[in-house]
């Protein structure tokens, strides 16, 4: 817990609402229901220029644009996307594609190394809306999280590794979609059932093997 003296089963309060859906907070846990949008962020295969081979997993428009700026890929000081290079397949597994980033980064690798970022294909992570992240003080990135399928009564344990749009509830990595037996295609996979998925985050409580950042 956070040491604030809250007791198990204490009253949940509505922290805020997103599109009319309440986000609850009980002093230790954030809870809300939402859809399960499939996130490919952090995968070395996520983004690339038009017509490149292999074909990227997701639409480049989800990473930003030259006009708006790029938020989903690593750029140089001038804001130009950085390509993965030939030579070191651990650092750059898909030469010719861009380096997709996540809010969480592994400090033992530089940002230009794909291993710095959290790979949505292999890591079960959930995405916290930026508005929720800013509403309470404990750290979310690296914290313990769970996603519960209310239809089939199945839970997947995850880590919070990405920050999403303020107005959207319900997004998790390709690995989470796979764990639930859903399509893990970020273009059309996941689930749009907004009442089926229950998300819980425990800010300030690191997921096993992770550190809070």
């Amino acid at each position: 817990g956070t040491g604030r003296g809250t007791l198990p089963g204490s009253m949940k309060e509505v922290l805020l609402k997103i599109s009319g859906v309440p986000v609850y907070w009980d002093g230790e846990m954030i809870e809300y229901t939402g859809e399960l949008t499939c996130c490919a962020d952090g995968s070395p295969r996520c983004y690339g220029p038009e017509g490149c081979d292999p074909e990227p997993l997701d639409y480049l428009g989800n990473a930003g644009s030259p006009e708006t700026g790029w938020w989903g890929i690593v750029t140089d000081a001038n804001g130009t996307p950085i390509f993965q290079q030939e030579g070191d397949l651990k650092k750059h597994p898909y030469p010719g594609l861009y380096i997709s980033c996540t809010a969480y980064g592994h400090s033992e690798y530089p940002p230009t190394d794909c291993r710095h970022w959290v790979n949505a294909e292999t890591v079960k992570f959930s995405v916290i809306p930026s508005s929720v992240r800013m509403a309470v003080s404990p750290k979310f990135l690296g914290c313990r999280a769970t996603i519960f399928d209310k239809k089939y009564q199945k839970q997947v344990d995850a880590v919070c590794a990405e920050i999403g749009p303020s107005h959207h509830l319900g997004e998790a990595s390709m690995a989470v979609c796979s764990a639930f037996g859903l399509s893990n295609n970020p273009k059309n996979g996941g689930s749009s059932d907004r009442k089926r998925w229950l998300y819980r985050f425990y800010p300030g409580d690191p997921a096993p093997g992770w550190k809070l950042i």
Side-chain angles (χ1 to χ4, degrees):
T2 57
R4 295 189 184 183
T6 52
L7 297 172
S10 60
M11 289 294 292
K12 293 185 294 187
E13 62 181 53
V14 177
L15 184 67
L16 51 91
K17 288 187 177 183
I18 296 178
S19 300
V21 179
V23 175
Y24 296 100
W25 168 243
D26 71 357
E28 294 188 357
M29 178 184 70
I30 290 284
E31 181 180 281
Y32 56 79
T33 54
E35 55 192 5
L36 210 174
T37 301
C38 187
C39 174
D41 292 351
S43 164
R45 295 195 293 158
C46 189
Y47 297 118
E50 294 293 324
C52 67
D53 186 31
E55 183 183 347
L57 295 174
D58 205 356
Y59 300 112
L60 185 57
N62 289 333
S65 71
E67 293 74 33
T68 62
W70 300 100
W71 55 79
I73 54 180
V74 179
T75 63
D76 63 17
N78 297 318
T80 304
I82 295 175
F83 287 96
Q84 297 179 51
Q85 303 295 323
E86 300 275 358
D88 185 345
L89 288 176
K90 290 185 176 179
K91 179 180 179 182
H92 292 156
Y94 296 95
L97 270 61
Y98 298 136
I99 301 167
S100 173
C101 53
T102 50
Y104 192 103
H106 297 289
S107 57
E108 58 265 37
Y109 299 105
T112 52
D113 187 322
C114 289
R115 292 169 291 182
H116 180 85
W117 309 105
V118 185
N119 187 344
E121 291 188 74
T122 58
V123 179
K124 293 188 282 289
F125 69 75
S126 54
V127 181
I128 190 75
S130 57
S131 54
V132 181
R133 175 186 175 238
M134 300 303 291
V136 298
S137 57
K139 292 181 177 180
F140 278 92
L141 291 176
C143 85
R144 189 166 62 88
T146 61
I147 302 118
F148 183 71
D149 180 355
K150 295 197 282 186
K151 183 176 180 179
Y152 292 111
Q153 299 291 300
K154 178 181 179 180
Q155 178 172 296
V156 167
D157 294 330
V159 60
C160 179
E162 180 64 308
I163 300 166
S166 289
H167 57 274
H168 181 249
L169 287 175
E171 185 173 2
S173 66
M174 294 170 64
V176 168
C177 292
S178 297
F180 280 121
L182 301 170
S183 166
N184 70 353
N185 185 333
K187 293 180 178 178
N188 54 26
S191 166
S192 59
D193 187 339
R194 289 182 168 85
K195 296 181 179 179
R196 176 175 169 182
W197 309 96
L198 178 66
Y199 290 80
R200 289 184 171 127
F201 297 83
Y202 300 84
D205 183 5
W210 295 75
K211 59 185 178 183
L212 300 171
I213 62 169

